Amino acid sequence: MEFAPKDPDWQARVRASFSAQKFMAHLGAELVHLAPGAVDLELKLRPEVTQQHGFFHAGATTSIADSAAGYAALSLFAAGIGVLTSEFKINLLNPARQQILLARGRVVKPGRTLTIAKADVYGLDDGTQVHVATGLFTLMGVSGVRD
Amino acid sequence: MEFAPKDPDWQARVRASFSAQKFMAHLGAELVHLAPGAVDLELKLRPEVTQQHGFFHAGATTSIADSAAGYAALSLFAAGIGVLTSEFKINLLNPARQQILLARGRVVKPGRTLTIAKADVYGLDDGTQVHVATGLFTLMGVSGVRD
Amino acid sequence: MEFAPKDPDWQARVRASFSAQKFMAHLGAELVHLAPGAVDLELKLRPEVTQQHGFFHAGATTSIADSAAGYAALSLFAAGIGVLTSEFKINLLNPARQQILLARGRVVKPGRTLTIAKADVYGLDDGTQVHVATGLFTLMGVSGVRD
Amino acid sequence: MEFAPKDPDWQARVRASFSAQKFMAHLGAELVHLAPGAVDLELKLRPEVTQQHGFFHAGATTSIADSAAGYAALSLFAAGIGVLTSEFKINLLNPARQQILLARGRVVKPGRTLTIAKADVYGLDDGTQVHVATGLFTLMGVSGVRD
């Protein structure tokens, strides 16, 4: 689907907001792709993001999925409207034991109040790709919150 | 509801597994309550766990909810059965801008293959408590995975 | 939790709207309890609501859960505001093979735009009660839609 | 994605099971497409499936989405394994006020114990198509239950 951003500065705004998410820096997530309604984040495997079996923790997988979906939504918001996650659901499809996680957030339906987005997370090793998780997210545009 | 653990060493096993989750240490989460089918985790506010507005990141909130629910489930598993999150859904009810987050994981229905748990997250300040999030989790017992 | 309805005619409004849901009549659902932020619906087992094994169809279970949650939300809305389900998630905990299903919708957090509710569904036989399903619902208040 | 059915009689088995769902007949749903891991159901608008505003009831929309996802999963199961919905989540994207609802169930990840499927529901009028709902479903294969 093709989306038209309402804010001419949407790219700068999304990048600035992502940079302001200290949690993303703490995890080590990077913004690797940005288009209207579409944001990809990447996270490298290191001990700090693992659970007890050495795989990516479901919370880490989910966190980058949530930020990817949230920024996909924010990319379509008007200037002065911030983004909050209202709710989401995620299915963990395969163990996340690859070297890199790629979370692809995509807007499914933009809206005045609520925007619905999905995120798919893939685990990448040399030449292989595993579908690690898929989720649905409801994002809310809020005018009192700057992004 | 009253649950009877199957593994006499359930407490030691849950604590050891939680300690092995490097992601929980990286976040700064602590296990503050442990009973059969019930686990509480706490997370203090610090910049490393915040989103762009200075609140707890939805991913941090969700991560401790997921671990609380997962360990509530694990507390009832037989020895030799590990726990994986199959899926979950979470509603973020109020901005998480308090000093401490408390995630309370509780088993709703234990099962041979799937255990359903809920988690409620509260934001705590001096004398006040805000219901920050509520979620439903499906946990899977897996025999090939040690916990 | 105690909730205060905003519309003095909330009871009549909820009952009228429920009666106008032809789908509920088609299923055979009845409104058996109504309080501020709380609605219970009941559905009797008959072939028309079963799946291939003779149990209540997950869709029937879910439909009364959704209506119970939706009317729990509507009971707290101001006059002139209608209710739409934005999204929900439900876990089916046990086979629904009892004589009666009781869906209990309860508001978790009322809000100006979004109201979060839960619904628990129980299967009732003579003297026994089984927890059949538990779900979380996001309801939206919409002013252009009459209820 | 291409899936290979394990049961040579998968088509007959899915059709027989669908025909045995009296709830689907009561709604008026029809099975209009069947392929390995893919099932489409259709439901015509009539008063019996509407909510208070005359739109398709969220429960009706969800019911055909659930059956479409469930039969998409069943199409890949071995003979003798029945299907039960473990849980699902659905987002209602647009009002369902069209003449026909088309629910497209698709397997995302088949598994020995759990199969993950998605379902998208579209509202169809002459020449137009609206994305009405999108959902994620966890289906369980159970050997004690015949399908």
Side-chain angles (χ1 to χ4, degrees):
Chain A
M1 215 179 296
E2 290 273 313
F3 296 113
K6 292 177 183 157
D7 176 3
D9 285 332
W10 63 278
Q11 284 178 296
R13 196 161 51 111
V14 169
R15 288 189 188 281
S17 181
F18 179 78
S19 298
Q21 285 205 334
K22 296 198 176 68
F23 183 54
M24 285 295 111
H26 192 53
L27 291 186
E30 288 173 74
L31 200 164
V32 296
H33 175 70
L34 174 56
V39 167
D40 293 357
L41 300 181
E42 232 179 63
L43 182 62
K44 288 193 179 58
L45 185 66
R46 53 193 188 110
E48 285 85 348
V49 293
T50 58
Q51 34 86 291
Q52 71 275 25
H53 317 117
F55 305 165
F56 282 97
H57 193 285
T61 305
T62 298
S63 295
I64 60 166
D66 172 54
S67 276
Y71 284 120
L74 183 64
S75 73
L76 302 181
F77 286 4
I81 307 291
V83 64
L84 286 177
T85 302
S86 170
E87 63 81 37
F88 67 85
K89 184 259 207 289
I90 196 160
N91 278 77
L92 301 156
L93 304 171
N94 285 295
R97 51 184 155 196
Q98 300 76 29
Q99 289 305 305
I100 293 175
L101 283 192
L102 173 68
R104 314 187 72 174
R106 297 292 181 267
V107 168
V108 173
K109 198 227 156 190
R112 226 177 356 150
T113 310
L114 300 181
T115 289
I116 313 304
K118 64 179 176 177
D120 286 284
V121 185
Y122 300 91
L124 311 179
D125 277 324
D126 290 348
T128 67
Q129 174 179 307
V130 175
H131 198 179
V132 158
T134 187
L136 286 170
F137 298 75
T138 303
L139 295 315
M140 202 166 175
V142 277
S143 48
V145 175
R146 222 176 51 119
D147 254 309
Chain B
M1 215 179 298
E2 291 273 311
F3 297 113
K6 291 178 185 158
D7 176 4
D9 285 332
W10 65 277
Q11 285 178 296
R13 195 161 52 113
V14 169
R15 287 188 189 282
S17 181
F18 179 78
S19 297
Q21 285 204 336
K22 295 197 177 68
F23 183 54
M24 285 294 111
H26 191 54
L27 291 185
E30 289 173 73
L31 199 164
V32 296
H33 175 69
L34 174 56
V39 167
D40 292 358
L41 300 181
E42 232 179 63
L43 181 62
K44 287 194 180 58
L45 185 66
R46 53 191 188 110
E48 284 85 348
V49 293
T50 58
Q51 35 85 291
Q52 72 277 23
H53 316 116
F55 306 164
F56 283 98
H57 194 284
T61 305
T62 297
S63 294
I64 60 166
D66 172 53
S67 276
Y71 284 120
L74 183 65
S75 72
L76 302 181
F77 286 4
I81 307 292
V83 63
L84 286 177
T85 301
S86 168
E87 63 81 36
F88 67 86
K89 183 259 208 289
I90 195 160
N91 277 77
L92 302 155
L93 305 172
N94 284 295
R97 49 184 154 198
Q98 300 77 28
Q99 289 306 306
I100 292 176
L101 283 192
L102 173 67
R104 315 187 71 174
R106 298 292 180 268
V107 168
V108 174
K109 199 227 156 188
R112 224 176 359 147
T113 310
L114 300 181
T115 289
I116 313 304
K118 64 178 176 177
D120 285 284
V121 185
Y122 300 91
L124 311 179
D125 276 324
D126 290 347
T128 67
Q129 175 179 306
V130 175
H131 198 179
V132 158
T134 187
L136 285 170
F137 297 75
T138 303
L139 295 315
M140 203 166 174
V142 276
S143 46
V145 175
R146 221 175 52 119
D147 253 308
Chain C
M1 217 180 294
E2 292 272 313
F3 297 113
K6 290 178 185 159
D7 175 4
D9 286 332
W10 64 278
Q11 285 177 297
R13 195 160 54 111
V14 169
R15 288 189 189 281
S17 180
F18 179 77
S19 297
Q21 285 204 337
K22 295 197 177 68
F23 182 54
M24 285 293 112
H26 191 54
L27 291 186
E30 289 173 74
L31 198 164
V32 296
H33 175 69
L34 175 55
V39 167
D40 292 358
L41 301 181
E42 231 179 65
L43 182 62
K44 288 194 179 58
L45 186 67
R46 52 189 189 112
E48 285 85 348
V49 293
T50 58
Q51 35 84 292
Q52 70 276 23
H53 317 115
F55 306 166
F56 282 97
H57 193 285
T61 305
T62 298
S63 294
I64 60 166
D66 172 54
S67 276
Y71 285 120
L74 182 64
S75 72
L76 303 180
F77 286 4
I81 306 292
V83 64
L84 286 177
T85 301
S86 169
E87 64 82 34
F88 66 86
K89 184 261 207 289
I90 195 160
N91 278 76
L92 301 155
L93 304 171
N94 284 295
R97 49 183 155 197
Q98 300 77 28
Q99 289 304 305
I100 292 175
L101 282 192
L102 174 67
R104 315 188 73 175
R106 298 292 180 268
V107 168
V108 173
K109 200 232 155 185
R112 225 175 1 147
T113 309
L114 300 181
T115 288
I116 313 304
K118 64 178 176 177
D120 285 285
V121 185
Y122 300 92
L124 310 179
D125 277 325
D126 290 347
T128 65
Q129 174 178 306
V130 175
H131 199 179
V132 158
T134 188
L136 286 171
F137 298 74
T138 304
L139 295 316
M140 203 167 174
V142 276
S143 48
V145 175
R146 222 177 51 121
D147 253 307
Chain D
M1 218 180 295
E2 292 272 314
F3 297 113
K6 291 178 185 158
D7 175 5
D9 285 331
W10 64 277
Q11 284 177 297
R13 194 159 55 110
V14 169
R15 288 188 188 280
S17 180
F18 179 77
S19 297
Q21 285 204 335
K22 295 196 177 67
F23 182 55
M24 285 294 111
H26 191 54
L27 290 185
E30 290 173 73
L31 199 165
V32 296
H33 175 68
L34 174 57
V39 167
D40 292 358
L41 300 181
E42 231 179 66
L43 181 63
K44 287 194 179 58
L45 185 67
R46 54 191 188 110
E48 285 85 347
V49 294
T50 58
Q51 36 84 292
Q52 71 275 25
H53 316 116
F55 306 165
F56 282 97
H57 193 285
T61 305
T62 298
S63 295
I64 60 166
D66 172 54
S67 276
Y71 285 120
L74 183 65
S75 73
L76 303 181
F77 286 4
I81 306 291
V83 64
L84 286 177
T85 302
S86 169
E87 64 80 34
F88 66 86
K89 183 262 207 288
I90 195 160
N91 278 76
L92 301 155
L93 304 172
N94 285 295
R97 50 184 156 198
Q98 300 77 28
Q99 289 304 306
I100 292 175
L101 283 192
L102 173 68
R104 316 187 72 174
R106 298 292 180 270
V107 168
V108 174
K109 198 228 156 187
R112 227 177 356 148
T113 310
L114 300 180
T115 289
I116 313 305
K118 65 178 175 176
D120 285 285
V121 185
Y122 299 91
L124 310 179
D125 277 324
D126 290 348
T128 66
Q129 174 179 307
V130 175
H131 198 180
V132 158
T134 188
L136 286 171
F137 298 73
T138 304
L139 294 316
M140 203 167 174
V142 277
S143 47
V145 175
R146 221 177 51 121
D147 253 309

